[in-house]
Amino acid sequence: MAKLNIAPTKSNLLTMKEQLAVSTNGYELLEEKREILVRELMHLVEQVKILEEEIDTVIESAYPAFKKMLLLNGADQIERISHDIHYDFDMQEKTVVVGGMQFETLDVELPKKELFYSFQGTYANTDAMITKFFDLLSLLTQMASIRTIVWRLAEEVKRTQRRVNALDKMIIPQTQETAKYIESVLEERDRENIFVLKALKKRNG
């Protein structure tokens, strides 16, 4: 690691030692932060896996229920029913704290299920199908919220890792090398001064 190009003086040596102490402390704090973020990230990834399994399970029952409803009711009847169905979804931005950091995401509040159509000419499987797709929509909104946090948390882990690497691989070694070089130069100067003083003392004596 190349040393910094600065004059080998006592004041610069003090500056290098102070910078080394700050950099070392910063490295330890960032490494601790990185470990916390990685743990939180792995925890969220596990939640994503669980949600994916639940979504797959609901899909396996929701789409066959939809096909069954189409067969029993007919496409025309389903289309008429769909025209009468309308839901409003409340979406709000919310702040989530993960690993001591704040992340912005969306909170989607699902509306309460209602019947917008007449019972005449419909079948019980219509309610069952709508319930299944409401369950699917609930899981998908949860997944979207968690994935947003996972993506942003992963980006923060990358940024923190780059800073850790910069301190560990470049800044700290470079500062150590510079301090070591300055110390060696100052020690050599001290030896030379002592030699000169002894020579003068001997000459004057």
Side-chain angles (χ1 to χ4, degrees), residues 19-32 167 172:
Q19 181 176 321
L20 181 59
V22 171
S23 298
T24 302
N25 185 58
Y27 169 80
E28 292 173 353
L29 291 174
L30 284 173
E31 181 64 18
E32 182 180 354
L167 286 167
I172 291 177

Side-chain angles (χ1 to χ4, degrees), residues 16-17 20 29 33 35 37 58 60 64 76 100 105 128 150 154 168 189 195-196 199 201-202:
M16 287 297 98
K17 288 184 176 181
L20 181 59
L29 291 174
K33 173 185 176 181
E35 291 177 357
L37 292 179
V58 174
E60 288 176 0
D76 292 339
T105 185
V150 166
D168 184 43
R189 286 177 182 173
F195 176 79
V196 170
K201 185 178 181 180
K202 184 177 180 181

Side-chain angles (χ1 to χ4, degrees), residues 39-95:
R39 285 199 298 269
E40 293 290 347
L41 181 60
M42 297 306 297
H43 176 67
L44 288 175
V45 168
E46 286 300 317
Q47 290 187 39
V48 168
K49 290 180 180 178
I50 293 173
L51 278 173
E52 286 177 342
E53 293 175 357
E54 293 179 356
I55 288 172
D56 289 341
T57 300
V58 174
I59 287 176
E60 288 176 0
S61 60
Y63 281 94
F66 180 64
K67 291 179 180 178
K68 181 179 180 181
M69 186 183 70
L70 280 174
L71 290 174
L72 292 175
N73 293 32
D76 292 339
Q77 176 67 4
I78 298 302
E79 185 176 358
R80 284 193 294 272
I81 292 174
S82 66
H83 289 322
D84 294 329
I85 297 177
H86 176 73
Y87 286 107
D88 291 320
F89 297 86
D90 184 19
M91 292 187 293
Q92 295 181 348
E93 187 175 296
K94 69 174 181 179
T95 301

Side-chain angles (χ1 to χ4, degrees), residues 82-146:
S82 66
H83 289 322
D84 294 329
I85 297 177
H86 176 73
Y87 286 107
D88 291 320
F89 297 86
D90 184 19
M91 292 187 293
Q92 295 181 348
E93 187 175 296
K94 69 174 181 179
T95 301
V96 178
V97 179
V98 179
M101 300 190 63
Q102 293 185 344
F103 297 92
E104 300 299 326
T105 185
L106 285 178
D107 185 26
V108 181
E109 183 178 345
L110 297 181
K112 187 177 180 180
K113 292 189 291 292
E114 300 179 32
L115 296 179
F116 291 92
Y117 49 87
S118 170
F119 285 101
Q120 186 177 1
T122 62
Y123 296 86
N125 61 78
T126 304
D127 280 344
M129 187 279 300
I130 291 178
T131 297
K132 290 180 184 297
F133 273 91
F134 250 89
D135 293 340
L136 179 58
L137 184 58
S138 175
L139 292 172
L140 290 175
T141 56
Q142 292 178 54
M143 175 67 81
S145 178
I146 292 179

